[in-house]
Amino acid sequence: MLHRVDIRYPISEVELNRKRLEAAYRFEYFDRAPVLLGIEARYLLKERGVTFAEYFSDVKTQLIYQIENIKWRIENIPDDWFTKPLIEVWPDFQNVTNSSGCGCEIFWQEDETPQAVPCISTFDEMVKHQLPDWRGTLWGKRLEWYFEMKKLAEDIEVRLNGERIPIQVNVGINGDSPFMAAVDMAGSNFYVWLHEAPEECKRLLKNITDRYIEVETEYRKVSKKPMKDGLGYSDDSAQVISLDSYREFCVPVAKRLYDTFGCDRHDGRSMHLCGRNVHLHGALLNDLNITMLSGYGSENKPEEMMTLAGKVLLHGNISPLNLYQGTANEVDEETMHLSEVLAPYSGIILGYGY
């Protein structure tokens, strides 16, 4: 046996977590609104005293650290995340995987998340840019690690309250959108070029989208995941542009990806969008037909969510600064205000606002 992990968590709570979330997905109510906190590797590694350099050192180390992270999360974070006796892991290179696939070099750091280094500095470079063979990028490394993780997982034993539970290894492109990749590739210049050379920008976004579809199709083929089994998507770099620009540059790209991989399930067309994005809600609802807005930014006040309330699942959006610096009473007040405004519409999952 390569490794053993023992998790202690009441099985009765697993069932309650599941019922709360399933009720919310149906726009119904069980015993209270479910709570999902966006606990990422960057938080869990720090809590466990592990560096990113260790985490990325090799596939076996990452697999064991992911499982240990999950154990720590289940036993220490009192939310509704753990809903079934199953551990899900995947090759994880954080938010730079898609940018690597599009040609960015990656700056690896000892104890911070990796960063994409822009690979386009001039307009002429953008026009001439050729996407690399994806198998030589982090997309290819992710596929290699997927197969290795599946083999390694056979020799890892995870037990929940003494009972062995399965480990499921997944693989997929990151949710970071083609627009996010383009901004990583060209930096702030890309926003300027949207106005100065819109057709060339659209051509780059189309090429990136074509490659996304090619890679994700391969991932789903090798992992035997149905093509239309849902898509988690993020457009974090796009919330600063206008609604008209979003519809011109981002909606066609996102629609292609959602239509290729999405489905009608609660998470079938999920969108994560940091920052202030109220001005984009009409496009998210009417153009992209999203099913969930997840971690939608504490700068969007509950009263401003009426375009989406009762129509899509709303996962958010307590201020992270309030959670970090505020008193318990201040957090209570913010939570009660959100609940009073939005809970009557149902489909509410409480979380922080990223």
Side-chain angles (χ1 to χ4, degrees), residues 110-161:
E110 175 72 21
D111 203 22
E112 294 289 344
T113 53
Q115 303 294 312
V117 179
C119 58
I120 294 172
S121 58
T122 67
F123 174 73
D124 190 53
E125 288 177 357
M126 183 186 76
V127 172
K128 295 178 180 178
H129 185 75
Q130 297 292 317
L131 298 178
D133 178 353
W134 66 266
R135 293 183 184 272
T137 72
L138 286 181
W139 276 336
K141 187 173 182 178
R142 176 168 276 184
L143 190 59
E144 293 170 5
W145 278 30
Y146 165 73
F147 289 119
E148 291 186 55
M149 277 190 174
K150 284 180 69 69
K151 292 178 182 177
L152 291 166
E154 295 174 0
D155 293 323
I156 297 178
E157 188 174 298
V158 179
R159 291 187 176 271
L160 175 64
N161 306 322

Side-chain angles (χ1 to χ4, degrees), residues 163-298:
E163 298 292 327
R164 188 165 185 176
I165 61 175
I167 302 171
Q168 178 176 307
V169 182
N170 301 321
V171 66
I173 58 173
N174 274 30
D176 311 317
S177 69
F179 191 91
M180 291 179 68
V183 172
D184 276 352
M185 294 161 70
S188 58
N189 285 331
F190 191 68
Y191 295 106
V192 177
W193 296 334
L194 293 178
H195 296 281
E196 293 182 347
E199 295 310 311
E200 287 80 358
C201 290
K202 290 176 188 176
R203 190 174 301 116
L204 176 65
L205 290 170
K206 179 186 180 302
N207 291 341
I208 297 171
T209 306
D210 290 343
R211 184 58 57 85
Y212 271 39
I213 291 173
E214 175 189 345
V215 176
E216 180 64 13
T217 298
E218 178 67 11
Y219 285 163
R220 296 196 180 203
K221 177 182 176 182
V222 300
S223 64
K224 297 180 172 55
K225 181 178 181 179
M227 281 288 286
K228 289 187 171 293
D229 193 48
L231 181 69
Y233 194 80
S234 176
D235 240 347
D236 282 348
S237 301
Q239 82 277 37
V240 298
I241 64 177
S242 70
L243 175 60
D244 286 345
S245 291
Y246 190 78
R247 281 183 160 140
E248 181 177 1
F249 296 101
C250 298
V251 165
V253 168
K255 190 174 188 307
R256 278 190 65 200
L257 287 159
Y258 278 136
D259 290 351
T260 303
F261 303 113
C263 66
D264 294 331
R265 198 176 56 231
H266 68 275
D267 58 348
R269 299 170 74 96
S270 176
M271 171 68 78
H272 167 67
L273 196 55
C274 285
R276 183 162 174 80
N277 51 62
V278 169
H279 63 295
L280 303 180
H281 288 182
L284 301 183
L285 179 67
N286 301 314
D287 301 335
L288 296 180
N289 308 118
I290 66 167
T291 56
M292 177 188 292
L293 186 59
S294 181
Y296 55 86
S298 54

